Amino acid sequence: QVQLVESGGGLVQPGGSLRLSCAASGSIFRIYDMGWYRQSPGNQRDLVATITSGGITNYTDSVKGRFTISRDNAKNTVYLQMNSLKPEDTSVYYCSAFVATMYHYGMDYWGEGTLVTVSS
């Protein structure tokens, strides 16, 4: 009923920038929090940034000052602007959204992930 589709990943050199997008579609009544997470082999899926429906943001310490999360509620889309990228940012990035539908009060939905590789 609800699908999240990420885009914008790819290969970038250290110090470069990428902008990730994630669009939600389906039987959406309301989207509450949205966020970005990342996971690399051997590691857990970690929080990168979250944003509430009102625009309040939260970032993990390692990306503060470099990444910016934003959203367009009219488009049901969340973005992650990534600047000053480092090799350690290399990971699969996943979009998440807490969505209320006509069938339930709300639950987490996840995109399939988009690969970001930071390398020379």
Side-chain angles (χ1 to χ4, degrees):
Q1 288 295 312
V2 178
Q3 294 179 311
L4 274 62
V5 179
E6 300 111 329
S7 62
L11 174 65
V12 65
Q13 295 183 352
S17 298
L18 284 175
R19 188 183 191 229
L20 306 182
S21 299
C22 172
S25 62
S27 301
I28 299 170
F29 178 74
R30 184 174 181 179
I31 301 178
Y32 296 91
D33 290 0
M34 304 184 81
W36 290 95
Y37 298 74
R38 62 188 181 186
Q39 185 174 25
S40 56
N43 296 314
Q44 64 182 14
R45 186 171 296 186
D46 294 324
L47 167 74
V48 178
T50 59
I51 184 168
T52 70
S53 60
I56 299 174
T57 59
N58 181 58
Y59 301 90
T60 191
D61 287 342
S62 62
V63 308
K64 288 181 179 178
R66 299 188 298 121
F67 291 10
T68 302
I69 188 171
S70 61
R71 64 191 288 169
D72 186 334
N73 291 331
K75 297 180 179 179
N76 290 332
T77 299
V78 63
Y79 306 93
L80 186 68
Q81 178 66 48
M82 304 184 292
N83 299 325
S84 302
L85 283 162
K86 304 174 181 179
E88 49 263 45
D89 294 318
T90 296
S91 188
V92 177
Y93 284 71
Y94 297 89
C95 171
S96 180
F98 189 79
V99 182
T101 72
M102 66 176 294
Y103 303 107
H104 54 74
Y105 72 95
M107 63 178 291
D108 288 319
Y109 290 88
W110 293 88
E112 293 185 357
T114 184
L115 177 63
V116 172
T117 302
V118 185
S119 176
S120 298

